Amino acid sequence: HQRVVHPTDAAGGRTSATLGRLRMNPSMVGAIIAGSTLGLTSGVYDICWTLLLLARGASGLEIGISWTLFAVPFVVVAKPSGWLADHMDRRTLVLAGIGSSALLCASYPFIHNVPLLVVLGASEALSFAAALPAMQSLLTQGSKPTEVGRVQGLFATFQTACTAVAAAAAGAAFAIASCLPFVTVAVVVVIGLLAAAFIW
């Protein structure tokens, strides 16, 4: 067993630590892939959701309500989602939650009813919220305490990078065809989930 030492500077703060190499395990790798798919979806929504609603004739009020209703489920179901993560197979929760999100994502461009789009967007947030605690649990499962920070950092890096890439491409894709960014990212998400399921 290797002891981890935290040298301190003159002010008494930690400056460095002798850390072993980060161990990659299937639980962590699958969670990072799943988190990356969420990043891709978020990037598309950040750019294209408002554009889609405007193209469907939505008012500013309807657009604002849609974003609000997407945020509310994260607050409402946070505790139940954590309970589910402790009482069900976390892999199933992640795959089902993100999988249903991908199906909804692919369907949005083909729906022309604004109220229905708003309701479906809010229901998709429930899928996101149900998957997140389970995914975070899988992320650090099997990791040593000295690895958790680096694992979280790696996860955030991949997720943010995927959000940035999707956001950068989504606007141009929407200009070509409104369905292109939604369907493309949904297909990529499904492929990512299949990879995560295989790794798990």
Side-chain angles (χ1 to χ4, degrees):
H1 178 71
Q2 182 180 3
R3 182 182 178 185
V4 178
V5 180
H6 297 278
T8 56
D9 58 18
R14 289 178 179 175
T15 57
S16 64
T18 304
L19 298 174
R21 183 177 179 181
L22 181 63
R23 298 171 303 119
M24 306 294 286
N25 62 70
S27 178
M28 177 181 68
V29 173
I32 288 174
I33 292 174
S36 297
T37 65
L38 283 184
L40 290 171
T41 307
S42 297
V44 168
Y45 289 158
D46 286 347
I47 302 301
C48 296
W49 181 251
T50 299
L51 294 176
L52 181 66
L53 290 180
L54 287 173
R56 299 292 180 264
S59 66
L61 178 62
E62 288 171 322
I63 293 171
I65 290 173
S66 74
W67 282 108
T68 300
L69 290 181
F70 188 84
V72 167
F74 286 93
V75 178
V76 174
V77 304
K79 186 174 180 179
S81 296
W83 185 90
L84 285 175
D86 287 337
H87 291 81
M88 291 182 62
D89 187 325
R90 293 166 182 164
R91 296 166 299 180
T92 300
L93 283 172
V94 173
L95 295 175
I98 301 178
S100 62
S101 172
L103 291 176
L104 285 170
C105 181
S107 71
Y108 290 143
F110 306 102
I111 299 172
H112 295 269
N113 183 283
V114 172
L116 180 58
L117 282 170
V118 172
V119 170
L120 289 177
S123 67
E124 183 183 358
L126 292 173
S127 300
F128 268 55
L132 282 173
M135 184 165 52
Q136 292 288 346
S137 298
L138 288 166
L139 178 65
T140 54
Q141 183 174 299
S143 296
K144 296 179 180 179
T146 54
E147 296 176 323
V148 171
R150 286 176 289 165
V151 171
Q152 294 281 359
L154 191 63
F155 176 88
T157 298
F158 274 92
Q159 187 176 38
T160 304
C162 286
T163 298
V165 169
F174 189 90
I176 296 172
S178 62
C179 65
L180 186 58
F182 293 94
V183 174
T184 300
V185 80
V187 171
V188 174
V189 167
V190 170
I191 293 172
L193 290 180
L194 290 174
F198 177 79
I199 291 170
W200 284 334

